[in-house]
Amino acid sequence: MVTKIKTEALNVYYANAQAVKDLNIEVQEKEILGIIGPANSGKTSFLKTLNRLNELLPHSHTTGKVLLDAADIFKNIEVQQLRKRVGIVFALPLPLPMNIFDNITYGPRMHGIKNKKELEQIVEESLIAAALWEEVKDRLQTMAHKLSGGQQQRLCIARTLAVKPEVILYDEPCSGLDPISTAKVEEAMQKLKKDYTQILVTNNIKQSARVADRTAFFLMGELIEIGDTKQIFTTPKNKKTEDYLTGRFG
């Protein structure tokens, strides 16, 4: 296995509050890593550190290292280039106030792609990869807000894919979706695995059980346990992991 992302003694702070504590974790290339844990476990703070989105929050600072392909993301990768390589899909679908086609081409155009045929190819490839093409291919000029919630979320995945990232981060991507829409988003994740490294933060432990290759359990900003998903859910090594998975807290 090839390590895509590695943290070394990573700490994340907001003013005097510490959200992530001395985190050492490795994410393998083209795996889906699920991250579970109760509220205020540092899951989202970790996720947003990976493309430096937490720097947009006041009084936020980090110590330690985050390596992407062995390069320090704080010292050796320019932040806009980092965010192109590491995309994020948020809990609530946030389509831009424009049609489907323009939503997906917004990023590529910002990066200088103007050729119409190239943009059309990007739209088709991105929608196919996000398992949305068959549903919208005949209405690409439809305003994005007219799509269902599940379709909007897959559109946001397609928009992320359009700039050709290497890593996709998901922050509770199905929290507002019905079971059928959730299944379609999970199907898209599985299809993307052959080309992308994916990290899924979810409060739905069953979702991690369904789609993640490995699962990490966070608690109070600390990594308690990480391992093969089946092992974590059937024979966790740490009592805290077992207590969380069996509903004793969380």
Side-chain angles (χ1 to χ4, degrees), residues 35-37 43 170 172-173 200-205 207-208 244:
I35 300 179
I36 60 173
K43 306 186 300 292
Y170 303 93
E172 298 286 348
L200 168 67
V201 163
T202 178
N203 282 332
N204 182 346
I205 60 172
Q207 182 170 59
S208 191
Y244 178 69

Side-chain angles (χ1 to χ4, degrees), residues 11 17 33 50 74 81 108 111 143 194 196:
N11 295 279
L33 175 66
L50 298 181
F74 302 116
Q81 182 62 25
H111 289 288
M143 294 299 288
K194 69 181 190 302
Y196 301 91

Side-chain angles (χ1 to χ4, degrees), residues 122-135:
I122 289 171
V123 168
E124 182 174 350
E125 289 176 352
S126 300
L127 287 169
I128 288 172
L132 188 58
W133 174 249
E134 291 300 326
E135 295 169 48

Side-chain angles (χ1 to χ4, degrees), residues 3 33 71 89 114-115 131 144 149 152 159 165 236-237 249:
T3 299
L33 175 66
V89 177
K114 306 295 183 188
N115 182 276
Q152 287 185 30
R159 193 176 69 204
K237 296 175 181 176
F249 71 92

